Amino acid sequence: MAINHQATQQSVQDRLKRRYRADRRFKAYSIGALCVAIAFLALFFTDIVIKALPGLQQAEIELTYTYTDDVMFDPGAGVQGDEALADEFNSLISRGWTRLLPEELEDNPELEGTTETLWVLATDDVDQYLKGEYNALGEEERALVDRLAEDGRASLNFNTYLFTNGDSKLPEMAGLKSALVGSLYLVFLVFIFAFPLGVMTAVYLEEYAPENQLTNWIEVNINNLAAVPSIIFGLLGLAVFINFFGAPRSSALVGGLTIGIMTLPLIIIAGRAALRAVPDSIRQGALAVGASRWQMVKDHVLPLALPGILTGTIIGMAVAIGETAPLLIIGMIAYIPEAPTSFTEAATVLPAQIFTWAGMPEQSYTGRTAAGILVLLAVMITMNATAIYLRNRYTRRW
């Protein structure tokens, strides 16, 4: 009996050891998975930042320039004190700057005959040469750029053009302004379209709708819509808003409504979860003192559920602002050099602009693409941080 007891005890201890070993292995696998995820995330951000740094810099050249009538026909004639730079003017100074000279003289006639020292935009080849990348400059042009750089008259400065210009066929002039404005229009339209509809639908389903097959069918389909591929919503927007209602193609109006429909199920689901989290005692207390159902919802339930609703809405909009597929279908990937001034003008958005630049052959667009991704990530992180702040600031514990 004693031997059998010892054997049984030994067997139990062996099984316990195996369980503890399995537990330690499972914990090690979990930590390994977490480390791999963090490593990939760090690798992704490091790669994006490294590629974006050249895009955040742009070559500029300092020159002393006299505004005369001759510069309308020969922009190099205005360069003072540097004949070599005047001779190579068209090779080193961007056409994006020279083509604005007539407008500047027309808008500011007092400039006629004056001389100024300016930092002007250099060509893409000069920019790539100063960054050590492939370029099409000749030997004499490279020697001239080297001399200007040694004299402190050619350098890489912060690329303000990236944020003040729209898209351009000249890489050194290309910027995100039109895409940023288009994204703002789109986010505004998504909010004013999807938020009221989503909240009212959630209120009805949680506070008024009877329990029957129709309600269950609607709930199941709303949940299914949240998982539908986004490109399907693009086809829906093309068929309904453009082909049926005749809304302008490529406009922020069509984009906002299409993305609004895509975001609607997310807002409804988040709204219902927030409303469901309000204790029934709040509802019963309001009804017990004579409040109508509408007064109970408006004065007691909605204010308490609003932080959760806003959190879900902001997260849904942050997801929507990064969508590209539905916008490709409705034409918001068009070449837009000027920022739109109304909801019906042709517009583009940040993801579409990034997609366009990613397909350009010039090396300069690689840095601009990575910089655009950083800007888009900054917008999304800001929106998510706002959602977290609202949740932590206004959520009530029961």
Side-chain angles (χ1 to χ4, degrees):
M1 289 293 292
I3 295 175
N4 290 337
H5 178 70
Q6 289 178 354
T8 302
Q9 203 171 29
Q10 184 64 39
S11 175
V12 170
Q13 288 178 350
D14 291 342
R15 285 202 297 272
L16 282 175
K17 288 179 180 177
R18 285 198 294 274
R19 289 180 185 177
Y20 291 146
R21 283 198 295 270
D23 184 62
R24 287 194 293 271
R25 282 199 302 274
F26 183 75
K27 183 178 179 182
Y29 294 153
S30 301
I31 293 174
L34 179 63
C35 291
V36 170
I38 292 174
F40 273 108
L41 196 61
L43 181 65
F44 168 74
F45 274 106
T46 304
D47 182 63
I48 289 295
V49 170
I50 290 174
K51 289 181 178 176
L53 287 177
L56 295 174
Q57 292 182 314
Q58 176 60 48
E60 291 182 314
I61 294 177
E62 185 190 51
L63 52 83
T64 303
Y65 202 78
T66 300
Y67 295 93
T68 63
D69 289 336
D70 294 338
V71 303
M72 305 283 282
F73 308 98
D74 180 14
V79 178
Q80 302 296 317
D82 195 329
E83 293 183 3
L85 180 57
D87 293 339
E88 301 293 343
F89 188 85
N90 292 327
S91 300
L92 303 186
I93 304 301
S94 171
R95 287 189 291 117
W97 183 76
T98 56
R99 72 186 179 190
L100 294 177
L101 274 174
E103 292 182 15
E104 189 172 359
L105 282 172
E106 185 177 346
D107 295 340
N108 305 286
E110 68 276 8
L111 288 176
E112 180 73 25
T114 61
T115 300
E116 293 182 352
T117 300
L118 308 167
W119 279 94
V120 300
L121 188 62
T123 61
D124 180 50
D125 286 322
V126 174
D127 183 66
Q128 293 301 295
Y129 177 67
L130 290 177
K131 291 174 182 174
E133 302 290 346
Y134 172 79
N135 59 86
L137 291 179
E139 289 299 327
E140 293 183 2
E141 293 161 342
R142 293 183 184 184
L144 177 56
V145 173
D146 287 338
R147 178 173 65 78
L148 292 173
E150 289 176 3
D151 295 342
R153 296 174 55 201
S155 64
L156 294 170
N157 299 325
F158 181 70
N159 189 1
T160 56
Y161 308 96
L162 184 66
F163 304 97
T164 58
N165 289 353
D167 197 10
S168 174
K169 297 300 182 186
L170 298 173
E172 67 273 15
M173 288 286 290
L176 293 167
K177 181 182 176 182
S178 56
L180 282 168
V181 174
S183 293
L184 288 176
Y185 276 135
L186 186 132
V187 169
F188 177 74
L189 284 168
V190 169
F191 183 78
I192 63 171
F193 173 72
F195 182 72
L197 278 179
V199 173
M200 295 310 294
T201 303
V203 168
Y204 174 77
L205 291 175
E206 283 299 317
E207 305 295 337
Y208 292 96
E211 285 287 341
N212 55 36
Q213 289 187 348
L214 177 61
T215 305
N216 293 335
W217 182 80
I218 292 173
E219 291 178 358
V220 169
N221 281 281
I222 287 174
N223 293 333
N224 288 336
L225 279 174
V228 169
S230 60
I231 197 166
I232 302 298
F233 290 99
L235 293 171
L236 180 68
L238 176 66
V240 175
F241 300 123
I242 296 178
N243 293 341
F244 185 76
F245 287 108
R249 188 182 178 87
S250 306
S251 65
L253 177 63
V254 175
L257 293 176
T258 303
I259 298 296
I261 290 177
M262 193 190 77
T263 313
L264 196 55
L266 300 176
I267 297 177
I268 294 173
I269 293 171
R272 293 187 66 190
L275 290 168
R276 207 175 296 144
V278 178
D280 282 339
S281 57
I282 300 293
R283 296 176 176 83
Q284 294 165 1
L287 295 174
V289 296
S292 66
R293 184 170 287 273
W294 163 238
Q295 288 173 321
M296 176 267 290
V297 171
K298 177 173 67 72
D299 298 330
H300 300 279
V301 177
L302 264 183
L304 295 173
L306 195 57
I309 295 174
L310 285 176
T311 300
T313 302
I314 293 172
I315 291 176
M317 292 175 64
V319 173
I321 201 175
E323 281 292 342
T324 309
L327 303 178
L328 299 181
I329 300 295
I330 60 173
M332 288 195 72
I333 198 170
Y335 171 68
I336 309 294
E338 298 294 336
T341 56
S342 71
F343 294 113
T344 55
E345 286 187 14
T348 188
V349 292
L350 278 172
Q353 187 66 74
I354 292 169
F355 178 80
T356 302
W357 284 353
M360 300 298 279
E362 290 87 351
Q363 179 69 24
S364 295
Y365 284 110
T366 302
R368 279 171 164 74
T369 302
I373 292 173
L374 280 186
V375 173
L376 181 60
L377 285 174
V379 172
M380 296 176 71
I381 290 172
T382 301
M383 294 182 73
N384 280 285
T386 304
I388 293 171
Y389 171 77
L390 287 175
R391 184 185 63 196
N392 295 336
R393 176 68 177 80
Y394 296 105
T395 298
R396 296 186 61 176
R397 309 289 179 190
W398 307 99

mmCIF file of all heavy atoms in Angstrom, residues 59 61 63 74-76 79 84-95 98 120-129 135-142 144-145 148 172:
data_model
loop_
_atom_site.group_PDB
_atom_site.id
_atom_site.type_symbol
_atom_site.label_atom_id
_atom_site.label_comp_id
_atom_site.label_asym_id
_atom_site.label_seq_id
_atom_site.Cartn_x
_atom_site.Cartn_y
_atom_site.Cartn_z
ATOM 1 N N ALA A 59 16.172 71.454 -51.309
ATOM 2 C CA ALA A 59 17.317 72.310 -51.686
ATOM 3 C C ALA A 59 16.836 73.691 -52.111
ATOM 4 O O ALA A 59 15.866 73.819 -52.854
ATOM 5 C CB ALA A 59 18.098 71.653 -52.821
ATOM 6 N N ILE A 61 18.547 77.772 -53.178
ATOM 7 C CA ILE A 61 19.747 78.513 -53.574
ATOM 8 C C ILE A 61 19.523 79.995 -53.299
ATOM 9 O O ILE A 61 18.453 80.533 -53.616
ATOM 10 C CB ILE A 61 20.063 78.287 -55.074
ATOM 11 C CG1 ILE A 61 20.453 76.822 -55.311
ATOM 12 C CG2 ILE A 61 21.169 79.221 -55.546
ATOM 13 C CD1 ILE A 61 20.703 76.473 -56.758
ATOM 14 N N LEU A 63 20.238 83.828 -54.079
ATOM 15 C CA LEU A 63 20.710 84.668 -55.188
ATOM 16 C C LEU A 63 20.274 86.113 -54.972
ATOM 17 O O LEU A 63 19.277 86.382 -54.295
ATOM 18 C CB LEU A 63 20.218 84.124 -56.532
ATOM 19 C CG LEU A 63 18.723 83.841 -56.702
ATOM 20 C CD1 LEU A 63 17.967 85.100 -57.052
ATOM 21 C CD2 LEU A 63 18.542 82.807 -57.808
ATOM 22 N N ASP A 74 13.610 86.327 -69.958
ATOM 23 C CA ASP A 74 14.843 85.620 -69.602
ATOM 24 C C ASP A 74 15.045 85.735 -68.093
ATOM 25 O O ASP A 74 15.672 86.683 -67.605
ATOM 26 C CB ASP A 74 16.032 86.229 -70.350
ATOM 27 C CG ASP A 74 17.335 85.511 -70.004
ATOM 28 O OD1 ASP A 74 17.265 84.407 -69.416
ATOM 29 O OD2 ASP A 74 18.412 86.054 -70.320
ATOM 30 N N PRO A 75 14.501 84.776 -67.312
ATOM 31 C CA PRO A 75 14.584 84.895 -65.843
ATOM 32 C C PRO A 75 16.021 84.988 -65.336
ATOM 33 O O PRO A 75 16.286 85.617 -64.312
ATOM 34 C CB PRO A 75 13.912 83.598 -65.363
ATOM 35 C CG PRO A 75 13.011 83.187 -66.473
ATOM 36 C CD PRO A 75 13.706 83.613 -67.723
ATOM 37 N N GLY A 76 16.977 84.400 -66.065
ATOM 38 C CA GLY A 76 18.363 84.444 -65.621
ATOM 39 C C GLY A 76 18.972 85.831 -65.680
ATOM 40 O O GLY A 76 19.998 86.094 -65.042
ATOM 41 N N VAL A 79 19.717 87.802 -62.292
ATOM 42 C CA VAL A 79 20.733 87.398 -61.320
ATOM 43 C C VAL A 79 21.877 88.408 -61.315
ATOM 44 O O VAL A 79 22.404 88.773 -62.373
ATOM 45 C CB VAL A 79 21.267 85.987 -61.644
ATOM 46 C CG1 VAL A 79 22.371 85.600 -60.657
ATOM 47 C CG2 VAL A 79 20.138 84.970 -61.600
ATOM 48 N N ALA A 84 28.121 82.811 -63.595
ATOM 49 C CA ALA A 84 27.981 81.364 -63.775
ATOM 50 C C ALA A 84 26.573 80.908 -63.389
ATOM 51 O O ALA A 84 25.954 80.093 -64.086
ATOM 52 C CB ALA A 84 29.031 80.638 -62.939
ATOM 53 N N LEU A 85 26.063 81.469 -62.288
ATOM 54 C CA LEU A 85 24.710 81.097 -61.859
ATOM 55 C C LEU A 85 23.673 81.610 -62.852
ATOM 56 O O LEU A 85 22.680 80.933 -63.146
ATOM 57 C CB LEU A 85 24.440 81.667 -60.467
ATOM 58 C CG LEU A 85 23.055 81.378 -59.868
ATOM 59 C CD1 LEU A 85 22.788 79.877 -59.810
ATOM 60 C CD2 LEU A 85 22.931 81.980 -58.474
ATOM 61 N N ALA A 86 23.919 82.806 -63.405
ATOM 62 C CA ALA A 86 22.993 83.341 -64.417
ATOM 63 C C ALA A 86 22.987 82.450 -65.660
ATOM 64 O O ALA A 86 21.923 82.211 -66.257
ATOM 65 C CB ALA A 86 23.391 84.767 -64.766
ATOM 66 N N ASP A 87 24.170 81.941 -66.053
ATOM 67 C CA ASP A 87 24.234 81.077 -67.242
ATOM 68 C C ASP A 87 23.519 79.747 -67.012
ATOM 69 O O ASP A 87 22.913 79.188 -67.921
ATOM 70 C CB ASP A 87 25.706 80.820 -67.611
ATOM 71 C CG ASP A 87 26.397 82.095 -68.096
ATOM 72 O OD1 ASP A 87 25.664 83.022 -68.508
ATOM 73 O OD2 ASP A 87 27.634 82.158 -68.039
ATOM 74 N N GLU A 88 23.644 79.212 -65.810
ATOM 75 C CA GLU A 88 23.036 77.901 -65.512
ATOM 76 C C GLU A 88 21.703 78.043 -64.779
ATOM 77 O O GLU A 88 21.241 77.099 -64.137
ATOM 78 C CB GLU A 88 24.002 77.077 -64.638
ATOM 79 C CG GLU A 88 25.348 76.822 -65.255
ATOM 80 C CD GLU A 88 25.253 75.911 -66.481
ATOM 81 O OE1 GLU A 88 24.206 75.245 -66.632
ATOM 82 O OE2 GLU A 88 26.201 75.876 -67.272
ATOM 83 N N PHE A 89 21.086 79.210 -64.903
ATOM 84 C CA PHE A 89 19.874 79.518 -64.135
ATOM 85 C C PHE A 89 18.780 78.461 -64.351
ATOM 86 O O PHE A 89 18.207 77.920 -63.400
ATOM 87 C CB PHE A 89 19.351 80.904 -64.536
ATOM 88 C CG PHE A 89 18.221 81.398 -63.690
ATOM 89 C CD1 PHE A 89 18.459 82.061 -62.495
ATOM 90 C CD2 PHE A 89 16.907 81.183 -64.083
ATOM 91 C CE1 PHE A 89 17.411 82.504 -61.712
ATOM 92 C CE2 PHE A 89 15.854 81.631 -63.306
ATOM 93 C CZ PHE A 89 16.105 82.290 -62.116
ATOM 94 N N ASN A 90 18.503 78.138 -65.618
ATOM 95 C CA ASN A 90 17.395 77.215 -65.904
ATOM 96 C C ASN A 90 17.690 75.791 -65.438
ATOM 97 O O ASN A 90 16.764 74.999 -65.253
ATOM 98 C CB ASN A 90 17.091 77.213 -67.401
ATOM 99 C CG ASN A 90 16.512 78.534 -67.845
ATOM 100 O OD1 ASN A 90 15.807 79.196 -67.091
ATOM 101 N ND2 ASN A 90 16.842 78.953 -69.066
ATOM 102 N N SER A 91 18.974 75.464 -65.279
ATOM 103 C CA SER A 91 19.327 74.113 -64.836
ATOM 104 C C SER A 91 19.286 73.980 -63.326
ATOM 105 O O SER A 91 19.098 72.872 -62.801
ATOM 106 C CB SER A 91 20.741 73.756 -65.318
ATOM 107 O OG SER A 91 20.810 73.810 -66.720
ATOM 108 N N LEU A 92 19.467 75.108 -62.617
ATOM 109 C CA LEU A 92 19.579 75.037 -61.155
ATOM 110 C C LEU A 92 18.350 75.576 -60.417
ATOM 111 O O LEU A 92 18.068 75.147 -59.296
ATOM 112 C CB LEU A 92 20.816 75.808 -60.683
ATOM 113 C CG LEU A 92 22.162 75.374 -61.286
ATOM 114 C CD1 LEU A 92 23.296 76.134 -60.620
ATOM 115 C CD2 LEU A 92 22.378 73.875 -61.153
ATOM 116 N N ILE A 93 17.661 76.529 -61.017
ATOM 117 C CA ILE A 93 16.494 77.129 -60.351
ATOM 118 C C ILE A 93 15.219 76.512 -60.904
ATOM 119 O O ILE A 93 15.045 76.390 -62.120
ATOM 120 C CB ILE A 93 16.473 78.657 -60.553
ATOM 121 C CG1 ILE A 93 17.789 79.273 -60.059
ATOM 122 C CG2 ILE A 93 15.293 79.267 -59.802
ATOM 123 C CD1 ILE A 93 18.096 79.028 -58.601
ATOM 124 N N SER A 94 14.319 76.144 -60.018
ATOM 125 C CA SER A 94 13.097 75.440 -60.420
ATOM 126 C C SER A 94 12.199 76.306 -61.303
ATOM 127 O O SER A 94 12.036 77.504 -61.056
ATOM 128 C CB SER A 94 12.318 75.006 -59.172
ATOM 129 O OG SER A 94 11.051 74.519 -59.510
ATOM 130 N N ARG A 95 11.569 75.668 -62.298
ATOM 131 C CA ARG A 95 10.577 76.363 -63.118
ATOM 132 C C ARG A 95 9.369 76.763 -62.292
ATOM 133 O O ARG A 95 8.615 77.662 -62.660
ATOM 134 C CB ARG A 95 10.134 75.458 -64.271
ATOM 135 C CG ARG A 95 11.181 75.298 -65.361
ATOM 136 C CD ARG A 95 10.621 74.565 -66.574
ATOM 137 N NE ARG A 95 10.351 73.166 -66.301
ATOM 138 C CZ ARG A 95 9.159 72.607 -66.337
ATOM 139 N NH1 ARG A 95 8.093 73.342 -66.598
ATOM 140 N NH2 ARG A 95 8.998 71.308 -66.093
ATOM 141 N N THR A 98 10.288 80.360 -61.362
ATOM 142 C CA THR A 98 10.362 81.310 -62.474
ATOM 143 C C THR A 98 8.993 81.569 -63.105
ATOM 144 O O THR A 98 8.716 82.675 -63.552
ATOM 145 C CB THR A 98 11.337 80.811 -63.561
ATOM 146 O OG1 THR A 98 10.917 79.500 -63.981
ATOM 147 C CG2 THR A 98 12.741 80.712 -63.019
ATOM 148 N N VAL A 120 15.662 80.781 -53.161
ATOM 149 C CA VAL A 120 14.654 80.306 -54.103
ATOM 150 C C VAL A 120 14.771 78.792 -54.259
ATOM 151 O O VAL A 120 15.795 78.173 -53.951
ATOM 152 C CB VAL A 120 14.795 80.998 -55.476
ATOM 153 C CG1 VAL A 120 14.621 82.494 -55.330
ATOM 154 C CG2 VAL A 120 16.124 80.669 -56.113
ATOM 155 N N LEU A 121 13.695 78.216 -54.793
ATOM 156 C CA LEU A 121 13.603 76.763 -54.924
ATOM 157 C C LEU A 121 14.542 76.244 -56.010
ATOM 158 O O LEU A 121 14.529 76.731 -57.148
ATOM 159 C CB LEU A 121 12.160 76.397 -55.269
ATOM 160 C CG LEU A 121 11.766 74.927 -55.268
ATOM 161 C CD1 LEU A 121 11.934 74.325 -53.879
ATOM 162 C CD2 LEU A 121 10.328 74.791 -55.742
ATOM 163 N N ALA A 122 15.355 75.262 -55.654
ATOM 164 C CA ALA A 122 16.263 74.648 -56.626
ATOM 165 C C ALA A 122 15.546 73.521 -57.372
ATOM 166 O O ALA A 122 14.486 73.054 -56.959
ATOM 167 C CB ALA A 122 17.499 74.103 -55.911
ATOM 168 N N THR A 123 16.128 73.100 -58.476
ATOM 169 C CA THR A 123 15.522 72.015 -59.250
ATOM 170 C C THR A 123 15.652 70.687 -58.507
ATOM 171 O O THR A 123 16.433 70.549 -57.554
ATOM 172 C CB THR A 123 16.203 71.892 -60.621
ATOM 173 O OG1 THR A 123 17.594 71.589 -60.407
ATOM 174 C CG2 THR A 123 16.074 73.168 -61.422
ATOM 175 N N ASP A 124 14.899 69.724 -59.007
ATOM 176 C CA ASP A 124 14.940 68.391 -58.389
ATOM 177 C C ASP A 124 16.329 67.770 -58.500
ATOM 178 O O ASP A 124 16.783 67.075 -57.593
ATOM 179 C CB ASP A 124 13.895 67.503 -59.070
ATOM 180 C CG ASP A 124 13.871 66.109 -58.480
ATOM 181 O OD1 ASP A 124 13.798 65.993 -57.248
ATOM 182 O OD2 ASP A 124 13.942 65.138 -59.255
ATOM 183 N N ASP A 125 17.032 68.039 -59.617
ATOM 184 C CA ASP A 125 18.380 67.475 -59.786
ATOM 185 C C ASP A 125 19.351 68.028 -58.742
ATOM 186 O O ASP A 125 20.184 67.290 -58.202
ATOM 187 C CB ASP A 125 18.898 67.768 -61.199
ATOM 188 C CG ASP A 125 18.203 66.895 -62.240
ATOM 189 O OD1 ASP A 125 17.942 65.723 -61.930
ATOM 190 O OD2 ASP A 125 17.917 67.402 -63.339
ATOM 191 N N VAL A 126 19.260 69.339 -58.471
ATOM 192 C CA VAL A 126 20.118 69.925 -57.434
ATOM 193 C C VAL A 126 19.776 69.320 -56.066
ATOM 194 O O VAL A 126 20.662 68.989 -55.271
ATOM 195 C CB VAL A 126 19.953 71.460 -57.406
ATOM 196 C CG1 VAL A 126 20.725 72.066 -56.238
ATOM 197 C CG2 VAL A 126 20.387 72.074 -58.721
ATOM 198 N N ASP A 127 18.491 69.173 -55.817
ATOM 199 C CA ASP A 127 18.042 68.587 -54.540
ATOM 200 C C ASP A 127 18.605 67.179 -54.365
ATOM 201 O O ASP A 127 19.133 66.840 -53.293
ATOM 202 C CB ASP A 127 16.509 68.565 -54.529
ATOM 203 C CG ASP A 127 15.947 68.036 -53.224
ATOM 204 O OD1 ASP A 127 16.135 68.700 -52.191
ATOM 205 O OD2 ASP A 127 15.337 66.960 -53.250
ATOM 206 N N GLN A 128 18.497 66.371 -55.409
ATOM 207 C CA GLN A 128 18.998 64.997 -55.321
ATOM 208 C C GLN A 128 20.519 64.959 -55.206
ATOM 209 O O GLN A 128 21.089 64.105 -54.518
ATOM 210 C CB GLN A 128 18.540 64.192 -56.546
ATOM 211 C CG GLN A 128 17.043 63.969 -56.596
ATOM 212 C CD GLN A 128 16.537 63.225 -55.368
ATOM 213 O OE1 GLN A 128 16.887 62.063 -55.152
ATOM 214 N NE2 GLN A 128 15.731 63.879 -54.546
ATOM 215 N N TYR A 129 21.195 65.887 -55.881
ATOM 216 C CA TYR A 129 22.664 65.931 -55.808
ATOM 217 C C TYR A 129 23.117 66.251 -54.384
ATOM 218 O O TYR A 129 24.038 65.600 -53.852
ATOM 219 C CB TYR A 129 23.196 66.975 -56.784
ATOM 220 C CG TYR A 129 24.697 67.149 -56.717
ATOM 221 C CD1 TYR A 129 25.554 66.124 -57.113
ATOM 222 C CD2 TYR A 129 25.265 68.330 -56.238
ATOM 223 C CE1 TYR A 129 26.932 66.262 -57.029
ATOM 224 C CE2 TYR A 129 26.639 68.492 -56.156
ATOM 225 C CZ TYR A 129 27.469 67.455 -56.551
ATOM 226 O OH TYR A 129 28.833 67.593 -56.463
ATOM 227 N N ASN A 135 21.261 61.885 -60.097
ATOM 228 C CA ASN A 135 20.749 63.123 -60.673
ATOM 229 C C ASN A 135 21.306 63.279 -62.085
ATOM 230 O O ASN A 135 22.205 62.540 -62.492
ATOM 231 C CB ASN A 135 21.156 64.329 -59.816
ATOM 232 C CG ASN A 135 22.654 64.436 -59.686
ATOM 233 O OD1 ASN A 135 23.315 65.027 -60.530
ATOM 234 N ND2 ASN A 135 23.207 63.830 -58.622
ATOM 235 N N ALA A 136 20.754 64.238 -62.810
ATOM 236 C CA ALA A 136 21.139 64.433 -64.212
ATOM 237 C C ALA A 136 22.015 65.660 -64.408
ATOM 238 O O ALA A 136 22.143 66.149 -65.539
ATOM 239 C CB ALA A 136 19.871 64.542 -65.069
ATOM 240 N N LEU A 137 22.626 66.175 -63.362
ATOM 241 C CA LEU A 137 23.482 67.362 -63.498
ATOM 242 C C LEU A 137 24.788 67.000 -64.208
ATOM 243 O O LEU A 137 25.331 65.900 -64.013
ATOM 244 C CB LEU A 137 23.812 67.934 -62.114
ATOM 245 C CG LEU A 137 22.667 68.581 -61.333
ATOM 246 C CD1 LEU A 137 23.172 69.072 -59.977
ATOM 247 C CD2 LEU A 137 22.030 69.732 -62.115
ATOM 248 N N GLY A 138 25.285 67.952 -65.022
ATOM 249 C CA GLY A 138 26.577 67.769 -65.661
ATOM 250 C C GLY A 138 27.718 68.142 -64.718
ATOM 251 O O GLY A 138 27.495 68.627 -63.603
ATOM 252 N N GLU A 139 28.960 67.944 -65.212
ATOM 253 C CA GLU A 139 30.131 68.225 -64.373
ATOM 254 C C GLU A 139 30.196 69.695 -63.978
ATOM 255 O O GLU A 139 30.478 70.045 -62.827
ATOM 256 C CB GLU A 139 31.406 67.801 -65.105
ATOM 257 C CG GLU A 139 31.590 66.296 -65.240
ATOM 258 C CD GLU A 139 31.689 65.611 -63.889
ATOM 259 O OE1 GLU A 139 32.220 66.223 -62.951
ATOM 260 O OE2 GLU A 139 31.210 64.468 -63.767
ATOM 261 N N GLU A 140 29.974 70.595 -64.959
ATOM 262 C CA GLU A 140 30.051 72.034 -64.662
ATOM 263 C C GLU A 140 28.963 72.451 -63.672
ATOM 264 O O GLU A 140 29.190 73.277 -62.772
ATOM 265 C CB GLU A 140 29.924 72.836 -65.957
ATOM 266 C CG GLU A 140 31.099 72.650 -66.911
ATOM 267 C CD GLU A 140 30.963 73.523 -68.141
ATOM 268 O OE1 GLU A 140 29.966 74.283 -68.213
ATOM 269 O OE2 GLU A 140 31.843 73.444 -69.018
ATOM 270 N N GLU A 141 27.775 71.882 -63.851
ATOM 271 C CA GLU A 141 26.677 72.234 -62.942
ATOM 272 C C GLU A 141 26.969 71.730 -61.524
ATOM 273 O O GLU A 141 26.691 72.427 -60.540
ATOM 274 C CB GLU A 141 25.376 71.637 -63.471
ATOM 275 C CG GLU A 141 24.930 72.266 -64.788
ATOM 276 C CD GLU A 141 23.938 71.395 -65.525
ATOM 277 O OE1 GLU A 141 23.870 70.190 -65.187
ATOM 278 O OE2 GLU A 141 23.274 71.896 -66.437
ATOM 279 N N ARG A 142 27.531 70.524 -61.412
ATOM 280 C CA ARG A 142 27.875 69.999 -60.082
ATOM 281 C C ARG A 142 28.948 70.857 -59.416
ATOM 282 O O ARG A 142 28.878 71.139 -58.203
ATOM 283 C CB ARG A 142 28.368 68.558 -60.194
ATOM 284 C CG ARG A 142 27.286 67.579 -60.626
ATOM 285 C CD ARG A 142 27.812 66.162 -60.659
ATOM 286 N NE ARG A 142 26.803 65.240 -61.171
ATOM 287 C CZ ARG A 142 26.946 63.938 -61.244
ATOM 288 N NH1 ARG A 142 28.081 63.380 -60.826
ATOM 289 N NH2 ARG A 142 25.994 63.166 -61.723
ATOM 290 N N LEU A 144 29.463 73.997 -59.931
ATOM 291 C CA LEU A 144 28.836 75.263 -59.519
ATOM 292 C C LEU A 144 28.025 75.070 -58.226
ATOM 293 O O LEU A 144 28.085 75.901 -57.313
ATOM 294 C CB LEU A 144 27.927 75.765 -60.644
ATOM 295 C CG LEU A 144 27.140 77.047 -60.353
ATOM 296 C CD1 LEU A 144 28.080 78.194 -59.956
ATOM 297 C CD2 LEU A 144 26.295 77.439 -61.567
ATOM 298 N N VAL A 145 27.286 73.956 -58.132
ATOM 299 C CA VAL A 145 26.509 73.678 -56.901
ATOM 300 C C VAL A 145 27.462 73.496 -55.716
ATOM 301 O O VAL A 145 27.185 73.992 -54.606
ATOM 302 C CB VAL A 145 25.627 72.433 -57.097
ATOM 303 C CG1 VAL A 145 24.953 72.044 -55.777
ATOM 304 C CG2 VAL A 145 24.574 72.686 -58.164
ATOM 305 N N LEU A 148 28.577 76.904 -54.622
ATOM 306 C CA LEU A 148 27.503 77.603 -53.910
ATOM 307 C C LEU A 148 27.317 77.021 -52.500
ATOM 308 O O LEU A 148 27.074 77.751 -51.534
ATOM 309 C CB LEU A 148 26.192 77.484 -54.700
ATOM 310 C CG LEU A 148 26.146 78.242 -56.030
ATOM 311 C CD1 LEU A 148 24.870 77.893 -56.795
ATOM 312 C CD2 LEU A 148 26.230 79.747 -55.807
ATOM 313 N N GLU A 172 9.995 68.947 -56.929
ATOM 314 C CA GLU A 172 10.388 69.898 -55.886
ATOM 315 C C GLU A 172 9.224 70.801 -55.463
ATOM 316 O O GLU A 172 9.284 71.435 -54.403
ATOM 317 C CB GLU A 172 11.569 70.755 -56.358
ATOM 318 C CG GLU A 172 11.271 71.719 -57.494
ATOM 319 C CD GLU A 172 11.426 71.088 -58.870
ATOM 320 O OE1 GLU A 172 11.482 69.843 -58.921
ATOM 321 O OE2 GLU A 172 11.489 71.820 -59.867
#
